[in-house]
């Protein structure tokens, strides 16, 4: 079994500038382009944690709460929240910044799931996560419920087998 690693060791901060080719006809960052940026930042965090090649397994709900405009600076902060046998959940926060105006707003957040694979593309074991801060501990504790929900929605787990999720929802 690989040595456990602190959540902070996977911390990845990625910054991009929104250029004309990244925008829609309203001069806002296209949603698909943002998802592309987020996937890269989250994958880097998962690779840092696992020291392996990783593939995206799922992306939870992503809401676009604020537009990101042409010329804004987009900052993404990603970190592994919990690892299971070969999969890792990564939380990512996104901010947009208008530097000349001095405005910085939170625009998005999401949970991505990655699977570490060997050179043949087969899943491979990853280190456990050691949370330290209160936020890391909260995300770590709730990660099992999110994982069970993902598996139930994908038809890979029976709802009655999702004990932690059922207990949380009191059903």
């Amino acid at each position: 079994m690989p040595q456990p690693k602190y959540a902070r060791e996977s911390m990845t901060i990625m910054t991009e500038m929104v250029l004309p080719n990244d925008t829609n006809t309203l001069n806002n960052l296209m949603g698909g382009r943002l998802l592309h940026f987020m996937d890269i930042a989250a994958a880097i965090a998962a690779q840092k944690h696992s020291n392996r090649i990783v593939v995206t397994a799922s992306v939870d709900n992503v809401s676009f709460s604020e537009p990101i405009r042409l010329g804004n600076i987009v900052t993404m902060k990603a970190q592994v929240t919990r690892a299971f046998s070969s999969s890792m959940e990564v939380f990512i926060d996104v901010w947009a910044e208008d530097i000349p105006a001095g405005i910085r707003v939170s625009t998005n957040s999401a949970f991505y799931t990655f699977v570490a694979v060997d050179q043949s593309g087969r899943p491979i074991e990853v280190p456990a996560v050691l949370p330290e801060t209160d936020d890391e501990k909260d995300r770590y504790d709730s990660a099992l419920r999110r994982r069970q929900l993902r598996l139930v929605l994908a038809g890979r787990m029976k709802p009655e087998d999702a004990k932690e999720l059922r207990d949380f929802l009191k059903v």
Side-chain angles (χ1 to χ4, degrees), residues 14-16 18 28-29 34 38 63-77 92-109:
M14 188 170 116
T15 305
E16 295 282 342
V18 179
N28 293 327
L29 178 64
L34 177 61
M38 292 170 72
S63 296
F64 298 90
S65 60
E66 295 286 334
I68 301 173
R69 307 214 184 279
L70 176 64
N72 282 175
I73 304 303
V74 181
T75 302
M76 292 147 287
K77 179 179 171 186
I92 184 163
D93 247 337
V94 180
W95 297 273
E97 188 173 5
D98 180 336
I99 292 176
I103 298 170
R104 184 175 192 251
V105 295
S106 175
T107 61
N108 305 79
S109 64

Side-chain angles (χ1 to χ4, degrees), residues 31-75:
R33 189 72 171 139
L34 177 61
L35 292 173
H36 173 81
F37 292 157
M38 292 170 72
D39 192 46
I40 292 170
I44 293 169
Q47 283 189 351
K48 287 170 77 171
H49 180 76
S50 65
N51 293 326
R52 297 289 181 177
I53 297 166
V54 299
V55 294
T56 309
S58 71
V59 180
D60 287 8
N61 180 52
V62 179
S63 296
F64 298 90
S65 60
E66 295 286 334
I68 301 173
R69 307 214 184 279
L70 176 64
N72 282 175
I73 304 303
V74 181
T75 302

Side-chain angles (χ1 to χ4, degrees), residues 15-164:
T15 305
E16 295 282 342
M17 177 181 274
V18 179
L19 300 172
N21 199 42
D22 300 322
T23 63
N24 59 26
T25 53
L26 298 173
N27 282 330
N28 293 327
L29 178 64
M30 289 185 286
R33 189 72 171 139
L34 177 61
L35 292 173
H36 173 81
F37 292 157
M38 292 170 72
D39 192 46
I40 292 170
I44 293 169
Q47 283 189 351
K48 287 170 77 171
H49 180 76
S50 65
N51 293 326
R52 297 289 181 177
I53 297 166
V54 299
V55 294
T56 309
S58 71
V59 180
D60 287 8
N61 180 52
V62 179
S63 296
F64 298 90
S65 60
E66 295 286 334
I68 301 173
R69 307 214 184 279
L70 176 64
N72 282 175
I73 304 303
V74 181
T75 302
M76 292 147 287
K77 179 179 171 186
Q79 184 172 321
V80 174
T81 61
R82 189 163 181 173
F84 297 94
S85 55
S86 61
S87 67
M88 296 156 281
E89 181 189 79
V90 177
F91 178 70
I92 184 163
D93 247 337
V94 180
W95 297 273
E97 188 173 5
D98 180 336
I99 292 176
I103 298 170
R104 184 175 192 251
V105 295
S106 175
T107 61
N108 305 79
S109 64
F111 289 96
Y112 278 65
T113 303
F114 289 88
V115 174
V117 295
D118 64 17
Q119 296 297 344
S120 302
R122 289 186 296 270
I124 190 165
E125 193 173 20
V126 298
V129 172
L130 300 171
E132 297 174 285
T133 69
D134 288 342
D135 282 345
E136 289 171 355
K137 290 174 185 175
D138 288 345
R139 288 191 186 115
Y140 179 92
D141 290 341
S142 57
L144 181 56
R145 292 190 299 271
R146 287 188 297 274
R147 181 176 192 262
Q148 289 178 349
L149 179 60
R150 287 181 202 110
L151 293 172
V152 167
L153 291 174
R156 296 180 49 215
M157 177 183 264
K158 295 178 184 173
E160 58 270 17
D161 293 337
K163 180 187 177 335
E164 287 76 10

